[in-house]
Amino acid sequence: MKQNITRTLTKLRTTFLSFTMGQRLVAVVGTAALLLAAFMVFRWVSTPNYAPLYSNLASEDASAIIDELDAAGTPYELADGGATIMVPRDAVYSTRIDMSGQGLPAQGGTDGYDLLDGQDISTSDFQEQTDFKRAMEGELTKTIEAIDGVNTAVVHLAIPEKKVFSDEQDPVTASVLVDTSAGTTMEPTKVQAIVNLVASSIDGLEPDKVTVADSAGKVLSTSEGGALGASTRDQAVADFQNQKTQQIQSMLDRVLGPGNSTVQVSADLDFDKAVQESTKYRSNPRTQPLSETSSEETYNGAGGGTGSTGVVGPDGQMDSLGTGGGTGADNDYSKKATTRDNAVETVKEHREAAPGSVKSIHVGVVLDTVAAQGIDAADIQDLITAGVGINPDRGDTVEVSTLPFDRTADDKAAAELAAAAKAKADAKRMSMIRNGGIAVAILGMVLLAWLRARRGKRERDARAEFLVEQLRNDAAERAAAAAALDPSPAVAALEVAEDTANNELRREIEALAERQPDEIATLLRGWLVERP
């Protein structure tokens, strides 16, 4: 075994020393590249595949878990600024079970309904109410921290005592402090979700009594503004103005081309919640009356004798109906009374106006003088009025002006873009030239090494062929001389010497075959081909 190893190493050394300088360089660089690739593959295969063990951890929980992992010798990695701990994928579940046995993670020390488990019959009413409030705060904290983007949260509830003999009850209020990742802010929709979540969890808590703030001290939702705080209103106005601006700008870009017009929209939105109640009364002749009363009285008669007839006056005297006071005359009396109560239609209307209605819109448009040649500004104004829905009755205005645009910044930006594109193209071209030069140099070195190796191989083949031919000729000459001589002791000694020489020649040929096996094989293959 040792001799085989020694022979193999000797053969490799002899082969390497027979190379030219270019071949040695290629062999060394290739061997180093193969070893480096094998090392990288082995390292990639041996590196474990990590998976998250816990995410969004508090600093106390992360420190405690890392201590346990160090004590157990489990490899780990930290991500998300230390809030996420990664362990090998095949050890995730077993590590979670071990951490759970240690009471980790402790959720940052936040307690929930488990606080109520320690109450007994000796618990006072004050302690019971306090534990209930702490439990609700803890449960709300856990729920808010489950929202994407919230690292930690703190909830405080102010629940006043109920007054039995009082008509006025102090309202329930709540405050929420959220901590987000660095450089991120809470979206209004998530703030609204937190407000509704807290308000729906506490009995008697209204959404406008919940205040949400972030760790930077910025108020996200106040008790006065509720979910529609000042920042949210400003964002709504900005979104509305951007929408109208893009609508007008897209239309002008189609007419004048991009960069030939500018639009500015200013909108006044009404965020007040208005409630209107109205009652209208109107009569309809075709409607049947609710009640109706009729009275009719008729009296016909003739006067006679000396009886006095007539209508009783205000002083109780009888007013004679005839010219002859006591003469008889025909009398007629009629009375008619009608009362009708007509039905009146009543219409009651309750209307609530949602916040966000438009009070007024003001649009200012400036057109480039060069691009707006042959275009009437009044036509542009009419298009904007019809496209955006301008209402002059509510005070909306549209102003269109034509002014020369300053193209200095555009020309400078275009020049910078062209210069950057040219620099990028030059860098790409230089990179291609450099890579091409390196490739040509490598190919030249490989070709030079191949040509040298081929020339050396030809020289070695020629030397080996010459040596073998010379040996063949010497053997033939010695055989001929031996055949010409008579057998004698001298001839026998000569044959022994020739055998010794032949053995030495055979050993030399074997040594040559061991040193240059490829050349000898090529030479023998050529001889076999040359035979008829």
Side-chain angles (χ1 to χ4, degrees):
M1 182 68 179
K2 183 177 181 181
Q3 293 178 356
N4 294 333
I5 295 175
T6 304
R7 188 181 298 109
T8 302
L9 294 177
T10 303
K11 186 182 296 184
L12 292 175
R13 182 174 178 274
T14 304
T15 303
F16 181 76
L17 292 176
S18 65
F19 288 167
T20 62
M21 184 59 65
Q23 291 176 336
R24 293 178 183 178
L25 180 61
V26 173
V28 171
V29 173
T31 304
L34 289 176
L35 293 176
L36 180 60
F39 173 74
M40 296 299 295
V41 171
F42 174 77
R43 183 176 181 183
W44 174 72
V45 172
S46 60
T47 301
N49 189 11
Y50 284 87
L53 178 65
Y54 295 109
S55 301
N56 296 328
L57 289 172
S59 58
E60 297 84 0
D61 293 339
S63 177
I65 292 175
I66 289 174
D67 293 339
E68 293 294 334
L69 294 177
D70 291 335
T74 304
Y76 63 89
E77 292 181 356
L78 299 179
D80 297 337
T84 301
I85 299 179
M86 313 280 288
V87 297
R89 185 176 296 275
D90 54 353
V92 171
Y93 300 106
S94 59
T95 306
R96 285 181 182 175
I97 294 174
D98 296 338
M99 295 296 107
S100 178
Q102 300 294 332
L104 296 174
Q107 298 295 334
T110 302
D111 297 323
Y113 287 126
D114 51 354
L115 282 172
L116 305 179
D117 298 337
Q119 295 183 355
D120 52 18
I121 193 173
S122 62
T123 303
S124 62
D125 183 67
F126 175 77
Q127 185 178 359
E128 180 180 354
Q129 295 296 328
T130 303
D131 290 345
F132 174 75
K133 188 179 73 169
R134 291 178 56 194
M136 293 300 299
E137 292 174 350
E139 293 295 330
L140 288 173
T141 298
K142 296 177 183 179
T143 306
I144 295 174
E145 289 178 350
I147 298 177
D148 186 18
V150 179
N151 294 335
T152 57
V154 179
V155 180
H156 294 289
L157 300 176
I159 304 177
E161 296 182 359
K162 293 184 178 180
K163 300 178 180 179
V164 181
F165 302 102
S166 177
D167 295 336
E168 296 181 359
Q169 178 69 32
D170 295 334
V172 181
T173 59
S175 60
V176 181
L177 178 66
V178 294
D179 181 19
T180 59
S181 301
T184 60
T185 57
M186 290 290 295
E187 299 177 358
T189 55
K190 293 184 179 180
V191 176
Q192 181 67 37
I194 293 175
V195 170
N196 294 339
L197 184 67
V198 176
S200 302
S201 302
I202 306 301
D203 185 18
L205 180 58
E206 298 294 335
D208 57 353
K209 299 298 181 182
V210 179
T211 302
V212 181
D214 59 6
S215 58
K218 181 180 178 180
V219 178
L220 305 178
S221 176
T222 61
S223 58
E224 291 81 5
L228 292 175
S231 59
T232 308
R233 295 182 180 182
D234 295 340
Q235 185 64 34
V237 173
D239 293 341
F240 180 80
Q241 294 179 166
N242 292 334
Q243 179 184 2
K244 295 301 181 181
T245 301
Q246 294 177 1
Q247 184 178 356
I248 299 173
Q249 190 67 59
S250 62
M251 179 180 62
L252 295 178
D253 290 342
R254 296 284 295 178
V255 176
L256 302 175
N260 295 321
S261 61
T262 179
V263 180
Q264 185 67 35
V265 177
S266 177
D268 185 11
L269 303 183
D270 186 8
F271 291 97
D272 296 335
K273 182 179 180 181
V275 178
Q276 181 181 1
E277 293 184 359
S278 61
T279 303
K280 297 181 180 179
Y281 300 96
R282 61 184 181 181
S283 60
N284 191 349
R286 293 177 295 179
T287 304
Q288 296 295 330
L290 296 178
S291 62
E292 183 176 356
T293 303
S294 299
S295 177
E296 184 176 356
E297 182 179 356
T298 303
Y299 174 78
N300 295 320
T306 59
S308 299
T309 61
V311 180
V312 180
D315 54 355
Q317 301 294 326
M318 297 294 293
D319 186 11
S320 176
L321 297 178
T323 54
T327 65
D330 296 334
N331 297 325
D332 189 3
Y333 172 75
S334 177
K335 180 180 180 183
K336 186 176 181 180
T338 301
T339 302
R340 177 179 295 177
D341 296 332
N342 293 325
V344 178
E345 294 182 359
T346 304
V347 179
K348 294 184 178 181
E349 183 179 4
H350 179 83
R351 179 179 298 177
E352 293 185 3
S357 60
V358 180
K359 287 185 176 180
S360 61
I361 301 177
H362 305 281
V363 181
V365 178
V366 179
L367 307 179
D368 186 17
T369 304
V370 178
Q373 292 180 357
I375 296 178
D376 190 2
D379 296 337
I380 300 296
Q381 184 174 355
D382 294 338
L383 289 175
I384 296 175
T385 302
V388 181
I390 300 298
N391 187 4
D393 295 337
R394 66 184 179 189
D396 298 348
T397 57
V398 178
E399 293 293 337
V400 179
S401 302
T402 303
L403 298 173
F405 277 19
D406 185 7
R407 303 290 183 176
T408 304
D410 296 341
D411 296 340
K412 184 177 180 181
E416 292 179 355
L417 290 176
K422 184 177 181 301
K424 185 177 180 180
D426 294 341
K428 185 176 181 180
R429 183 168 55 255
M430 291 300 297
S431 177
M432 294 178 61
I433 294 174
R434 182 177 64 254
N435 296 336
I438 294 174
V440 171
I442 293 176
L443 290 176
M445 293 176 60
V446 172
L447 181 60
L448 181 61
W450 180 74
L451 292 176
R452 289 184 177 180
R454 185 176 180 182
R455 183 173 59 186
K457 182 179 179 181
R458 289 179 178 178
E459 293 177 357
R460 288 192 298 271
D461 293 342
R463 288 196 302 268
E465 185 176 358
F466 176 76
L467 180 60
V468 173
E469 187 68 24
Q470 186 178 3
L471 293 176
R472 185 190 299 174
N473 294 333
D474 292 343
E477 291 177 358
R478 284 191 297 269
L485 296 176
D486 293 334
S488 63
V491 174
L494 182 59
E495 290 178 353
V496 172
E498 289 179 355
D499 294 337
T500 304
N502 291 334
N503 293 333
E504 291 179 358
L505 179 61
R506 187 181 297 107
R507 284 194 297 271
E508 290 181 359
I509 293 175
E510 290 177 356
L512 180 62
E514 289 182 357
R515 290 195 303 270
Q516 300 177 352
D518 296 335
E519 288 78 1
I520 298 299
T522 305
L523 179 61
L524 294 176
R525 192 180 298 109
W527 287 349
L528 293 175
V529 174
E530 290 175 0
R531 289 183 178 182

